[in-house]
Amino acid sequence: MGFFLNYHYYLLSVLLLLPALSYSEDTFTCSRATYYGSPDCLGTPSGACGYGEFGRTVNDANVAGVSRLWKNGTGCGGCYQVRCTVPKLCTDYGVNIVVTDYGEGDHTDFILSPSAYSRLGRPDTADELFAYGVVDVEFRRISCKFKGYKNLMFKVHEHSRFPHYLAIILLYQAGQNEILAVEIWQEDCKEWRGMRRAYGAVWDMPNPPYGSITLRFQVSGSMGMTWIVANNAIPGDWKAGVAYESDIQLT
């Protein structure tokens, strides 16, 4: 009887540990990575996420386009640690990147900016690594952290036309979170109106409410699955191209 109880206790302990092991942040996935051409080694302002100039320089221009991790645009803003596995050429840590674009390569999960790709290799082997073109890598999802920025920002897209058409982008999306939906509060109807994911990380709505804009967005990730409300996130006299800082910190 004692052996029977001890066996079941051991089995229960293993079963309880399995979920923790399966979702460990230390787990890496094998893949491949390449790089795209850029004369200044920065990101591209025409990235499919819609970040524009933000996508060129964010995270010291260590950015990437992804395919499997794109998730119809939900993957925009996600952060990953990527390290290559070519013996004697690669650093032990690799590089932390931010997803700013969509891209398909030769069975690759990442098309890195030249800046990010160069950081995969040791300082004296970067040229040799570039000559490979495509390298074997391993990667894992990590929390996003941005130097000098702790709060989420709402940028009014340049294509917005006050007051008839509003498109927004959520910037500095910290933690391991993904934005699944965005809604605007319609005061006269006392209801939330859903915004459309226009493409990538761009959400839009024709004929938005007058006055200051209150948003709520659905988050999935390190914060669990939850709705977060940003009261008066965008002023009533909003202007295209302007980013407005919130008091919201995603972790």
Side-chain angles (χ1 to χ4, degrees):
M1 177 66 73
F3 173 80
F4 180 80
L5 290 175
N6 288 338
Y7 172 79
H8 277 76
Y9 176 79
Y10 172 79
L11 181 62
L12 178 61
S13 299
V14 171
L15 290 174
L16 289 175
L17 280 172
L18 280 176
L21 293 173
S22 300
Y23 292 94
S24 170
E25 291 184 4
D26 294 329
T27 301
F28 282 84
T29 300
C30 294
S31 184
R32 284 154 58 85
T34 185
Y35 64 94
Y36 58 81
S38 173
D40 54 11
C41 294
L42 302 180
T44 169
S46 58
C49 288
Y51 289 134
E53 288 299 316
F54 173 84
R56 278 175 53 77
T57 58
V58 65
N59 194 41
D60 295 327
N62 294 312
V63 297
V66 295
S67 51
R68 279 193 309 166
L69 304 172
W70 172 250
K71 305 175 187 177
N72 198 34
T74 302
C76 288
C79 295
Y80 295 87
Q81 178 188 356
V82 183
R83 61 189 188 190
C84 66
T85 57
V86 180
K88 299 181 180 180
L89 293 184
C90 303
T91 64
D92 293 333
Y93 188 85
V95 62
N96 294 342
I97 62 93
V98 179
V99 174
T100 60
D101 200 358
Y102 177 88
E104 296 183 12
D106 180 11
H107 298 95
T108 63
D109 275 308
F110 298 93
I111 302 182
L112 303 170
S113 66
S115 172
Y117 192 85
S118 67
R119 294 191 62 182
L120 293 176
R122 304 180 187 277
D124 57 344
T125 62
D127 290 343
E128 190 173 350
L129 197 64
F130 272 101
Y132 269 75
V134 180
V135 293
D136 291 329
V137 299
E138 52 186 17
F139 70 91
R140 64 175 177 173
R141 182 74 185 267
I142 60 172
S143 293
C144 292
K145 298 178 181 178
F146 302 98
K147 297 177 183 177
Y149 294 91
K150 294 183 178 180
N151 296 345
L152 193 68
M153 297 186 74
F154 303 102
K155 181 182 178 181
V156 178
H157 196 279
E158 289 82 358
H159 291 167
S160 298
R161 294 292 179 267
F162 183 85
H164 304 296
Y165 172 73
L166 174 64
I168 63 170
I169 314 165
L170 282 67
L171 306 180
Y172 301 111
Q173 180 180 311
Q176 294 189 37
N177 299 294
E178 296 177 344
I179 307 299
L180 305 181
V182 181
E183 297 181 343
I184 288 182
W185 177 249
Q186 186 81 39
E187 178 63 27
D188 54 354
C189 301
K190 303 296 182 183
E191 66 179 11
W192 291 100
R193 291 175 57 197
M195 300 188 77
R196 177 186 68 122
R197 186 189 291 276
Y199 65 94
V202 181
W203 301 82
D204 70 352
M205 174 184 285
N207 302 313
Y210 287 99
S212 60
I213 303 292
T214 290
L215 298 168
R216 75 172 182 177
F217 49 97
Q218 188 178 40
V219 176
S220 174
S222 53
M223 298 183 67
M225 179 80 76
T226 186
W227 284 92
I228 297 176
V229 176
N231 291 307
N232 304 318
I234 300 174
D237 58 348
W238 52 265
K239 294 177 174 58
V242 177
Y244 300 97
E245 185 174 1
S246 74
D247 58 0
I248 295 172
Q249 294 184 8
L250 299 181
T251 58

